[in-house]
Amino acid sequence: MAKVLLTGSAGALGTTLSDRLPALGHEVVGLDLPGQGADLSVDCTDPVAVDEAVAEVRPDAVIHLAGIPTESSLPDALSSHVLTTGALLEAMRRHGVPRIVYASSNHAVGRLPRSVLLGADTNARPDTHYGVGKVAAEALLHLYVDRYGIDAVSTRIGSFLERPTTRRQLSTWLSPDDTVRMFDAALKAPSPGFAVIYGISANTRGWWDLAPGRALGYDPQDDAETYAAEVEAEPETEVDRAEGAHVGGPFATEEYERPPFD
Ligand code: 15L
């Protein structure tokens, strides 16, 4: 059984993966902030503590989910997404851990207009400080792949939810079952090098290219279309229309604009 150190294990995504990856052959050691009841209590912005955790666990791979899951100040976003990723990558390098699977986000390209099928090689175009943090974390992964030959799979996740409830989510939904399939594939794919894939289900209305994920073995089975009639029973609103303008939906609207240093 391959051992996986999973950061952010107490969150919704972390709980799903901690519960379900063992059945697929992964031994999961969960790590989260103190007070969250994880196997290991560590603040991932502390490189010394992260190094000690990696040295103790000696995992075969890291899944990095920890981070503020929404918009924040610029320093908080950089600390939460970039410094944590840097601390983990450096500890992996020092202790010979060969692979990381990263929870990036569609918000790395969220400011792109919602017009074409989006490839994973699209230039970064973040919609928020959160998106900037994800872009920079992806760049750091690529640096460690190039310099030190680790494998890094960055999953640009859409909307991880039990079920879609808005029109946008009919395109961006990632079901819990497909989440498990995607992370399992990213852990098992032979020599992915640096790879970016989109984390959505096989949604009929999906606007992100699933081919790079499929090439790594991610074969999504769910489709938000199952819920379309229910979601569309409510009339379309101004909010739906605003969310439809850009890839990042609400994050690309004024509602998510924050002063960088407050
Ligand atoms: C994300 O990356 C966020 O963490 C989550 O809160 C949702 O907003 C999601 O994207 C989304 O785009 O639906």
Side-chain angles (χ1 to χ4, degrees):
M1 226 184 202
K3 201 192 263 190
V4 180
L5 179 65
L6 187 147
T7 76
S9 61
L13 193 50
T15 305
T16 298
L17 292 176
S18 303
D19 288 349
R20 296 185 48 191
L21 283 178
L24 299 171
H26 309 282
E27 181 193 346
V28 175
V29 180
L31 180 155
D32 213 307
L33 290 168
Q36 299 296 321
D39 299 323
L40 293 173
S41 295
V42 173
D43 180 346
C44 289
T45 62
D46 177 349
V48 175
V50 168
D51 189 84
E52 284 169 4
V54 171
E56 181 187 330
V57 176
R58 300 251 160 212
D60 300 295
V62 169
I63 294 180
H64 183 29
L65 310 177
I68 304 167
T70 188
E71 183 56 327
S72 62
S73 71
L74 184 57
D76 283 351
L78 296 180
S79 165
S80 166
H81 305 297
V82 191
L83 294 188
T84 61
T85 303
L88 283 159
L89 284 166
E90 185 55 13
M92 289 170 59
R93 181 190 71 76
R94 283 167 46 85
H95 300 290
V97 181
R99 180 171 307 210
I100 184 167
V101 182
Y102 180 57
S104 181
S105 168
N106 71 89
H107 299 291
V109 289
R111 195 66 199 201
L112 283 167
R114 225 322 286 130
S115 49
V116 289
L117 182 75
L118 204 65
D121 55 354
T122 311
N123 282 343
R125 197 147 164 203
D127 53 21
T128 42
H129 305 137
Y130 172 74
V132 168
K134 294 301 188 186
V135 170
E138 286 189 359
L140 205 47
L141 295 175
H142 212 157
L143 180 68
Y144 271 72
V145 171
D146 288 340
R147 275 192 180 159
Y148 307 114
I150 66 157
D151 286 310
V153 180
S154 185
T155 63
R156 287 185 185 158
I157 297 174
S159 308
F160 167 75
L161 295 164
E162 276 302 319
R163 45 151 296 177
T165 58
T166 68
R167 279 172 165 74
R168 173 175 179 267
Q169 290 163 6
L170 294 176
S171 302
T172 62
W173 185 50
L174 176 64
S175 74
D177 286 352
D178 283 336
T179 301
V180 175
R181 290 184 186 104
M182 179 174 75
F183 278 89
D184 179 48
L187 287 169
K188 290 176 178 166
S191 308
F194 176 72
V196 173
I197 65 176
Y198 283 104
I200 51 169
S201 288
N203 302 325
T204 302
R205 305 183 197 196
W207 59 57
W208 299 324
D209 191 2
L210 280 166
R214 289 204 163 99
L216 288 194
Y218 169 46
D219 185 18
Q221 301 294 313
D222 294 320
D223 185 341
E225 210 57 24
T226 312
Y227 301 94
E230 217 174 303
V231 170
E232 290 184 326
E234 296 296 322
E236 193 176 17
T237 63
E238 270 312 310
V239 173
D240 291 319
R241 276 186 280 279
E243 288 193 6
H246 292 93
V247 165
F251 282 46
T253 65
E254 272 179 23
E255 199 197 325
Y256 275 73
E257 287 176 22
R258 302 273 182 282
F261 299 111
D262 281 1

